[in-house]
Amino acid sequence: MDLLRVLLSLTLFVGAVIGVVSQFTHGFNGWILAASVGGFILAHYVWPSKKHRHTDSGWLDALDWLEFIIDIGYELVILPFRLIRMLFRDGDVGVDL
């Protein structure tokens, strides 16, 4: 089951990267951009988590570098939302009118 999740996550990640590259090569398309963002997020969540792995999954532990690459895409998508949350965290934006 872990192998299926890894393959699905890789497929989603590669599809999202192709979508982002097509934004630069073929022009902007909002639907493709939304699908790419969704692909990065889904690839992160489909990847098998470390706490639910079986102890005999040594081959999956060897793919930690691949998990790191998939997480980079997820972190880049989530970063603007985290920055907005930090801005409004205390309820005071700091702008006086």
Side-chain angles (χ1 to χ4, degrees), residues 12 16 33-43 77:
L12 287 167
L33 181 63
S36 297
V37 167
F40 284 125
I41 292 171
L42 282 174
V77 167

Side-chain angles (χ1 to χ4, degrees), residues 31 36 70 74 87-88 93-94:
W31 292 105
S36 297
I70 289 174
Y74 173 76
L87 183 65
F88 292 107
V93 179

Side-chain angles (χ1 to χ4, degrees), residues 9-47:
S9 180
L10 283 174
T11 303
L12 287 167
F13 179 77
V14 169
V17 169
I18 290 171
V20 168
V21 170
S22 76
Q23 295 293 310
F24 294 108
T25 58
H26 297 294
F28 180 76
N29 187 342
W31 292 105
I32 294 176
L33 181 63
S36 297
V37 167
F40 284 125
I41 292 171
L42 282 174
H44 171 77
Y45 284 112
V46 169
W47 188 270

Side-chain angles (χ1 to χ4, degrees), residues 37 41 74-88:
V37 167
I41 292 171
Y74 173 76
E75 292 295 329
L76 287 175
V77 167
I78 297 299
L79 182 66
F81 299 109
R82 288 186 179 161
L83 292 174
I84 291 171
R85 187 185 73 195
M86 284 176 41
L87 183 65
F88 292 107

